[in-house]
Amino acid sequence: MNIGSMIFPQVMELLPLHEFRKCVRFYRGDYQSVIDRTIDSAAPEITGMSLPYVIGALSFVGRLEDVDRLCQTPTWGTLTVEQQTEARFYRAVGM
């Protein structure tokens, strides 16, 4: 019998709802939706937490120039080593 909290509520405590939805859209394969709601929106807001997903979405639709530009932004410097590795992986897969 489980006496602690389940894993999903634990994840939701750490991840804001809009970031969670971005992850769901990405892993569902809705890359254009991720792009539309971030880089192509009227007021783009890309946090360090979502940058690997945005880079992955751009890579998977062939917008590698935009990926290269994002890797030059100040937000890139705020990423953890794991997030940078994830973003580089998506970039390589998208080539």
Side-chain angles (χ1 to χ4, degrees), residues 38-53:
T38 54
I39 196 95
D40 286 349
S41 70
E45 181 182 328
I46 304 171
T47 64
M49 188 179 296
S50 65
L51 188 59
Y53 300 113

Side-chain angles (χ1 to χ4, degrees), residues 1 4-5 11 14 23 49 52 57 78 83 86-87 90 95:
M1 178 163 78
S5 65
V11 169
L14 300 173
C23 294
M49 188 179 296
T78 66
Q83 289 170 322
E86 182 180 5
Y90 293 141
M95 294 177 73

Side-chain angles (χ1 to χ4, degrees), residues 42-81:
E45 181 182 328
I46 304 171
T47 64
M49 188 179 296
S50 65
L51 188 59
Y53 300 113
V54 174
I55 287 175
L58 289 167
S59 295
F60 297 155
V61 298
R63 291 178 54 180
L64 300 179
E65 299 83 21
D66 290 326
V67 169
D68 293 338
R69 262 182 270 160
L70 280 177
C71 292
Q72 306 287 326
T73 64
T75 305
W76 179 261
T78 66
L79 297 180
T80 65
V81 171

Side-chain angles (χ1 to χ4, degrees), residues 2-23:
N2 183 17
I3 54 176
S5 65
M6 301 297 278
I7 191 74
F8 187 73
Q10 292 175 16
V11 169
M12 293 310 297
E13 286 177 13
L14 300 173
L15 193 65
L17 186 58
H18 68 279
E19 293 292 339
F20 173 74
R21 288 183 177 145
K22 208 177 297 176
C23 294

